[in-house]
Amino acid sequence: MLEYFYDYAKHYNLGPHIKFNSIVTNVEPLNTQDKVKWKVQVVSNGTLEEYIVDGVAVCNGHHWYPVRPTEDDIPGLSTFTGTQITGHELSLIHISEPTRL
């Protein structure tokens, strides 16, 4: 699958438009007279950058490393007795009986 993404990006010369190793901190629609544009805020190398773009693709990285919340993110998480999985993992499991997730 990774090779497909590389080939697609190369074929359509998308490389110069892709920003890796960055954190998207905010995305919001901007209504203009003609169409919706998007304001995107990104932190890259510790610097906040802002872009106005025509469209947004959500690439949440579920084919990469799973991001699991911590006790800081969800107070009480450490006392939760159910199974903790990511959204991507949910699509990979088969549940045959009632399960607390």
Side-chain angles (χ1 to χ4, degrees), residues 54-96:
D54 294 327
V56 175
V58 177
C59 304
N60 61 8
H62 73 265
H63 291 292
W64 197 248
Y65 299 107
V67 177
R68 299 184 186 281
T70 66
E71 183 74 23
D72 291 336
D73 300 318
I74 304 173
L77 183 64
S78 62
T79 60
F80 177 71
T81 59
T83 302
Q84 298 178 30
I85 61 174
T86 65
H88 179 65
E89 291 168 319
L90 183 59
S91 67
L92 301 176
I93 65 171
H94 173 72
I95 299 172
S96 59

Side-chain angles (χ1 to χ4, degrees), residues 31-73:
N31 292 316
T32 64
Q33 292 178 354
D34 300 336
K35 59 183 175 180
V36 174
K37 293 206 178 243
W38 298 87
K39 179 169 76 170
V40 180
Q41 293 177 324
V42 176
V43 174
S44 182
N45 297 319
T47 302
L48 179 64
E49 302 171 0
E50 187 172 289
Y51 301 93
I52 305 298
V53 297
D54 294 327
V56 175
V58 177
C59 304
N60 61 8
H62 73 265
H63 291 292
W64 197 248
Y65 299 107
V67 177
R68 299 184 186 281
T70 66
E71 183 74 23
D72 291 336
D73 300 318

